[in-house]
Amino acid sequence: MTAMDVIVSLCKRRGFIFQSSEIYGGTGSCWDYGPLGVELRNNIKHVWWRDFVQQRADMVGLDASILMHPTVWKASGHVDHFTDPMVDCRECKRRFRADQIDDRPWTHYCEATKGNKFIIPAGEACKHCGARRALCPECGKGELTAPRQFNLMFKTFMGPVEEDASVTYLRPETAQGIFVNFDNVLQSMRRKLPFGIAQIGKAFRNEITPGNFIFRSREFEQMEIEFFVNPHEQLDGRAADEAWHDRWIADCQAWFSRYGLDPAHVKLHEHARDELAHYSKRTVDLLYEFPMGWSELMGIANRTDFDLKQHAKFSGKSLTWFDEERKEHVVPFVIEPSAGVDRALLAFLLDAYREEEVRGDKRVLLRFHPELAPVKIAVLPLLKKRTEIVATGQDLRTRLARRWVTIYDDTAAIGRLYRRQDEVGTPYCVTVDVKTVGDAEKGEAGDQRVTIRERDSMEQIRVPMADLENVFGRLLQEGGAWRDVAAAYPPAGELSV
Ligand code: GAP
């Protein structure tokens, strides 16, 4: 199994991600987030919003509608430029992106070996006859059509009549919702440059060759910032837009490593001139080392004043900021850090995945940053036949669930329960045992202490139940290190690892 297959299988087995409409055979490249997937996804969005919007004085948020006025897409250039060149196989009718066709292995029926079928690695020639791919890479038989431009936007109709006048599109990026609201935000929030507007929301692209699980899908979610800068100002001895661009690149890189991506798995890619989008002066991508190779995790573009000027031209409304000092109207330049929620989630999953050997057994774990972990605490009873243990465990779950996502599980023996939680990345397990509750029939009082086990080290400490909110507050909310918090409590007699 490839690293991607391992993650796809874990995601399905443990309720992170399912194929959309699976019982009907699935929908191409659409995915449903299951009970644990939705928590992980919400946590990523929550920390991104908190770190980049709520904690910064120069940022505000927005939630624009998905369906927008069709002229938005004319002004933005999407109607004319948001296209990929595609070719079709005349035989099997499969469709490919013309610019990616030689990046895939190809099927070849080799005449030098009596027509035997070979699958030849991408870009290579046949070892037997020296031929290079000329036909359909999939069926190996059909001629390909000449490339045609294919617009990636999903068309739909607004209102009850399906006619040309009512055509609109599902947004292919959230950015345009921000540009068209630039003046509304400026006026209502009394902002000065530089400031940014952030938005998290769904985007839709009719990708010709989606794939690699949730990496490239047709419905996905973006976390975008449009940061408006006065290009006439200087910052760090340079044009302000250029200096802000570098600051945002550094901030985004630091953000991904803060939440667990190994910096060795992330690198920058500077777009060459011929790679730049029509609106961009400079674009730098953060690439992550995905199993299929280094690929775009997010992009940070300098979109200049292109979008505001286009929308001003098409709408007839002025989209400027008045510089009181210089007494002039300025069309801001825009720095755009744009990340995909689904790609971030895939990278966090891949980077967190570990297989270890513990006492001769395989242990699979997801070493999620505690803030990203879907479940923070699992309460586990050592013996489910003892009603006091079960009742205490369930009470604890109710108590802790007021502040953190906490589950109760008594469906297996303790060693198995620990493994299950490791595999979904739960940072802490709390175990209730006989010593906790005592034995009323024998007149033995319980010590009212429980065992806390930490996922990565598997260390266990014994903690009074009354202290749990304090301990988890320090670990999960105040960023306390396990080593420091655990030092105040005695180690537990090991139940199991
Ligand atoms: N507003 C700029 C913009 O949309 P982009 O590079 O096309 O730029 C930004 O997209 C990010 O959105 C990408 O870096 C990626 O994380 C995510 N993204 C784009 N297309 C995607 C797709 N088909 N499936 C999943 N994520 C996608």
Side-chain angles (χ1 to χ4, degrees), residues 154-335:
F154 280 99
K155 251 186 204 171
T156 187
F157 299 94
M158 197 91 112
V161 188
E162 292 194 5
E163 56 178 21
D164 284 354
S166 61
V167 164
T168 189
Y169 304 92
L170 300 188
R171 69 180 177 200
E173 61 172 12
T174 62
Q176 299 305 323
I178 297 180
F179 294 127
V180 301
N181 277 295
F182 168 74
D183 199 50
N184 283 335
V185 175
L186 192 67
Q187 301 307 332
S188 59
M189 305 305 287
R190 302 183 176 281
R191 288 281 149 173
K192 279 183 170 176
L193 296 187
F195 79 97
I197 306 177
Q199 170 161 228
I200 299 179
K202 290 265 178 150
F204 304 83
R205 296 181 189 177
N206 199 3
E207 302 279 3
I208 301 170
T209 43
N212 288 314
F213 193 31
I214 54 172
F215 177 83
R216 191 182 306 285
S217 43
R218 295 197 167 106
E219 175 179 339
F220 55 98
E221 203 163 11
Q222 291 186 313
M223 307 186 280
E224 295 203 295
I225 292 168
E226 308 303 327
F227 196 78
F228 301 95
V229 178
N230 185 345
H232 309 315
E233 275 179 358
Q234 293 276 305
L235 180 68
D236 305 337
R238 310 155 62 193
D241 61 304
E242 295 176 8
W244 272 110
H245 195 184
D246 281 334
R247 284 189 184 185
W248 275 107
I249 295 166
D251 283 359
C252 292
Q253 224 176 343
W255 189 83
F256 276 105
S257 71
R258 174 174 171 192
Y259 291 103
L261 291 198
D262 181 345
H265 297 158
V266 179
K267 70 178 182 188
L268 299 181
H269 166 70
E270 185 88 35
H271 280 220
R273 274 197 168 278
D274 59 354
E275 257 183 291
L276 288 175
H278 60 278
Y279 50 72
S280 174
K281 166 175 166 185
R282 179 187 172 216
T283 296
V284 174
D285 287 343
L286 254 59
L287 306 185
Y288 176 75
E289 196 173 14
F290 287 98
M292 65 281 188
W294 288 97
S295 313
E296 180 183 332
L297 176 61
M298 71 171 295
I300 304 131
N302 183 341
R303 289 182 81 126
T304 67
D305 52 9
F306 175 85
D307 301 271
L308 290 179
K309 277 190 168 159
Q310 284 292 102
H311 287 303
K313 184 170 137 196
F314 279 75
S315 68
K317 302 277 183 323
S318 158
L319 296 176
T320 57
W321 174 73
F322 188 65
D323 183 343
E324 294 286 351
E325 263 175 43
R326 296 189 178 92
K327 303 287 177 220
E328 62 182 8
H329 286 277
V330 176
V331 183
F333 267 36
V334 176
I335 305 302

Side-chain angles (χ1 to χ4, degrees), residues 450-469:
V450 288
T451 296
I452 300 181
R453 171 190 181 266
E454 197 261 343
R455 178 194 65 205
D456 300 347
S457 62
M458 293 182 287
E459 284 169 9
Q460 302 181 12
I461 54 171
R462 197 78 184 158
V463 177
M465 284 195 280
D467 277 9
L468 286 178
E469 276 87 351

Side-chain angles (χ1 to χ4, degrees), residues 129-144:
C129 68
R132 294 206 160 261
R133 188 202 58 74
L135 301 172
C136 169
E138 198 68 36
C139 71
K141 293 179 179 159
E143 300 253 334
L144 296 174

